[in-house]
Amino acid sequence: MGRPDRPNAESASIESLTESIEHLGEAVAIVRVSGVPGSPPQFVHVNQGFVRLFGFDRADLDAATTERLFGPRTDHERLKWLRSRVEQGEPARIVVMLYGKDGSPLWTEISELPVRDPNAPGYQIATYRDVTSRKQFEDALASEKRKLQTTLASIADAVVTVLADGRVEFVNAAAERMLGIELVEAYGVHVAEVLRVEDGDGEPIDLAGAAAHEGVRRGSGHLRTNAGTTIDVGYVASAIDDEQHGTVIVLRDVTAETHATRKLSFEALHDPLTGLQNRRAFAERLEEAMSGARERGEHHALGFLDLDRFKVVNDRFGHAVGDRLLREIGEVMVRVVRGGDVLARIGGDEFA
């Protein structure tokens, strides 16, 4: 490749650089900046690694600029940034699409740094690496990640993904609504500040930490949202492979189910008219008391109350008045029994 005339000191420095890069296995070029703003650098010398990578021989690049490697998909803005960094005396690295002599595209990592020799001002060393396979792999991963996030976004349950260091990476739309926080606000924040889940005793549950050690953790708790409300949630926290890759947490609002379960449980053991325990619940507590007396020598007392002439009230004043009387009698007895006593309505007008 032709070289412009230069002082002997400069020529000696470039010759020394030329000999040095010839012994390198990677594709390396010496380029020279023209000094005209916006003008691309000119090739001064390329080694055999460069020839093998791009297919250009040295004669092809005689007096050529680096634009010889450009094509329709080359990112010129990134190259401008690279040149500006090197012109400021700083090393820089980018990945752009370059083209070989046969027109084939190559994703190329360019590492460029200025020559620190005062005898060779304006010269730069550029190293080129073919990263096509790596870029394709990264693009495939990015595509799969986009597909995954699209899938997660469409799931009705709230999904939160957490990095290994505990920072939130992603929340889907359902999680945004449940937590009262947007992805842009949650991203990078520690999961404990976004997911405030507590157990029945009000103690915080470390979902990400538990999953990292247990693999998968399932349970339920109370979630305090950013809106200041508290809801009941069921959760599944799953480690991604292991604790080095983070955690996926799936949350479901079970407030309605919890209330329904509590209501059913209450109704199964309580009289709907008076709210006192019913015959079934009283029988279970009585059995426990009898077992305590037999096995542990406990002492208990049993009382039974039957309302006389209650049928007359129903017959004369109607069942609505009779129901009201039963409720009021129950309220009176609740006020006078001890806190540890069991009071139940075990029949129409029978209490125990």
Side-chain angles (χ1 to χ4, degrees):
M1 298 174 60
R3 300 191 180 100
D5 294 336
R6 61 177 70 89
N8 290 336
E10 179 179 337
S11 178
S13 295
I14 298 305
E15 291 295 341
S16 177
L17 284 174
T18 298
E19 293 176 5
S20 299
I21 68 172
E22 282 299 334
H23 296 89
L24 299 177
E26 293 182 308
V28 183
I30 302 173
V31 298
R32 185 181 186 184
V33 179
S34 66
V36 179
S39 298
Q42 183 180 25
F43 284 112
V44 174
H45 181 79
V46 297
N47 69 354
Q48 284 299 318
F50 185 98
V51 174
R52 287 192 299 270
L53 178 60
F54 291 104
F56 293 104
D57 58 31
R58 290 164 179 164
D60 294 325
L61 299 176
D62 188 25
T65 69
T66 53
E67 288 186 341
R68 191 68 183 273
L69 304 178
F70 296 178
R73 296 175 58 190
T74 301
D75 190 335
H76 296 270
E77 292 301 317
R78 291 188 64 81
L79 287 164
K80 287 180 182 178
W81 177 86
L82 175 71
R83 287 199 295 268
S84 67
R85 287 279 297 175
V86 179
E87 287 170 0
Q88 293 170 12
E90 299 293 336
R93 178 181 299 176
I94 61 169
V95 174
V96 293
M97 180 77 78
L98 298 180
Y99 291 79
K101 183 177 181 178
D102 60 359
S104 59
L106 294 172
W107 278 109
T108 309
E109 179 185 82
I110 307 175
S111 299
E112 198 161 322
L113 71 161
V115 174
R116 304 293 185 182
D117 188 340
N119 294 320
Y123 289 89
Q124 300 166 2
I125 300 293
T127 302
Y128 301 84
R129 296 186 182 90
D130 181 1
V131 294
T132 302
S133 297
R134 188 185 82 186
K135 192 68 170 60
Q136 290 172 342
F137 179 69
E138 290 173 349
D139 288 346
L141 283 180
S143 176
E144 290 302 315
K145 184 175 181 179
R146 286 192 297 271
K147 291 178 183 177
L148 175 60
Q149 291 186 343
T150 300
T151 302
L152 293 178
S154 64
I155 294 175
D157 291 335
V159 180
V160 179
T161 59
V162 184
L163 300 173
D165 60 5
R167 291 180 296 111
V168 172
E169 180 186 29
F170 174 78
V171 296
N172 70 349
E176 289 181 326
R177 292 190 295 269
M178 176 184 287
L179 302 174
I181 190 171
E182 296 183 0
L183 173 58
V184 67
E185 299 172 300
Y187 182 79
V189 178
H190 195 275
V191 65
E193 299 180 36
V194 176
L195 278 182
R196 295 184 289 271
V197 181
E198 300 173 349
D199 60 21
D201 298 323
E203 295 296 323
I205 302 174
D206 180 9
L207 297 179
H213 292 92
E214 300 173 18
V216 177
R217 180 175 181 178
R218 304 173 186 269
S220 59
H222 308 296
L223 171 69
R224 292 192 292 113
T225 71
N226 286 284
T229 58
T230 300
I231 60 176
D232 297 320
V233 294
Y235 61 80
V236 179
S238 306
I240 305 174
D241 294 335
D242 55 55
E243 63 271 16
Q244 299 300 318
H245 295 86
T247 309
V248 174
I249 302 170
V250 181
L251 301 156
R252 175 172 294 178
D253 185 348
V254 296
T255 304
E257 292 93 326
T258 301
H259 288 174
T261 300
R262 289 171 182 166
K263 182 179 179 182
L264 289 173
S265 178
F266 182 88
E267 291 175 349
L269 299 174
H270 289 79
D271 171 47
L273 178 63
T274 63
L276 302 178
Q277 294 193 29
N278 60 16
R279 188 183 190 93
R280 173 187 170 187
F282 187 78
E284 292 176 357
R285 296 297 299 274
L286 181 59
E287 181 62 36
E288 293 173 3
M290 293 171 62
S291 296
R294 287 193 301 265
E295 299 170 7
R296 297 182 294 278
E298 297 174 352
H299 294 275
H300 301 279
L302 174 65
F304 176 79
L305 173 65
D306 181 18
L307 300 182
D308 291 338
R309 300 176 61 81
F310 179 71
K311 185 175 183 300
V312 175
V313 176
N314 277 337
D315 292 344
R316 181 173 297 182
F317 301 104
H319 288 280
V321 173
D323 289 347
R324 179 180 175 183
L325 177 61
L326 289 174
R327 283 195 296 267
E328 291 180 353
I329 290 173
E331 291 171 359
V332 170
M333 287 192 290
V334 165
R335 290 197 297 267
V336 299
V337 298
R338 297 170 302 181
D341 291 337
V342 177
L343 177 62
R345 181 189 178 204
I346 60 175
D349 59 357
E350 297 172 339
F351 297 84

